[in-house]
Amino acid sequence: MPWAYSPPPAAVSGMRALLERHWPLTGTAIVLILLAAWSMLAPLGGGSHELLLDFPPGVQHGDLTVPAEIRLTRGVRDVLLLRNRGRVPVVFGPLRIKAGGELRLPFGEEGRHVFVCPPLAGGQVAVRVVAAPGPGWSRLRWRLDNLAQSLRYLPLRAPDD
């Protein structure tokens, strides 16, 4: 083939030497690029569409700390599961959850909904429902936002638990 391109031998040996010298950094970069590509293209997780908001026994007014805004994604996780493990009913917006009861609150519309709930710190919680992101940068940003929210609101547990 007279038109085939072949790089000069010095460039090939220089590139090879650079990769051999910096193989940990090169390997890490390749893994991060592959992980980002997977995060952008992989379908959003199946499983349960529910996000649990649990009211433990003995919770008083303002005792329970939750994020100021709970984010749900339409079609992925779009049901708020309210579980009352206490001995008294809990009010959540216009709803009343009996003692020991559960209530599934589905959200089909995008938007921001504010609910009054006395046991929560601040007395109210906002539920923001967003559209499921399409493949690409929006899906990567959605996954990173979910990771950040999960890390930010990890439950605190004592060493004895």
Side-chain angles (χ1 to χ4, degrees):
M1 255 204 236
W3 294 97
Y5 171 76
S6 61
V12 171
S13 65
M15 181 66 80
R16 187 175 295 138
L18 184 67
L19 290 177
E20 287 175 0
R21 190 173 334 132
H22 299 289
W23 67 268
L25 185 60
T26 304
T28 303
I30 290 171
V31 166
L32 289 176
I33 289 169
L34 290 174
L35 183 64
W38 175 85
S39 296
M40 293 167 77
L41 299 174
L44 297 175
S48 175
H49 281 250
E50 299 171 346
L51 179 68
L52 175 65
L53 181 56
D54 189 30
F55 297 97
V59 68
Q60 299 293 323
H61 291 289
D63 283 353
L64 191 60
T65 303
V66 298
E69 184 174 85
I70 297 173
R71 191 178 78 169
L72 299 175
T73 304
R74 197 179 60 178
V76 179
R77 179 171 278 166
D78 53 6
V79 176
L80 188 61
L81 173 61
L82 305 167
R83 182 177 293 154
N84 181 8
R85 294 187 294 136
R87 294 183 184 187
V88 295
V90 172
V91 174
F92 188 84
L95 307 171
R96 186 180 173 132
I97 307 153
K98 65 180 181 174
E102 288 185 352
L103 182 70
R104 285 170 177 75
L105 189 58
F107 291 89
E109 299 278 329
E110 296 175 36
R112 188 169 189 268
H113 312 277
V114 180
F115 295 97
V116 174
C117 186
L120 301 178
Q124 66 181 13
V125 65
V127 177
R128 185 168 54 117
V129 182
V130 297
W137 292 109
S138 60
R139 188 169 292 176
L140 177 63
R141 191 175 317 112
W142 181 86
R143 288 184 195 270
L144 291 175
D145 287 345
N146 272 359
L147 177 64
Q149 185 170 356
S150 297
L151 292 176
R152 185 178 300 131
Y153 296 106
L154 280 174
L156 297 175
R157 297 180 191 257
D160 298 341
D161 289 348

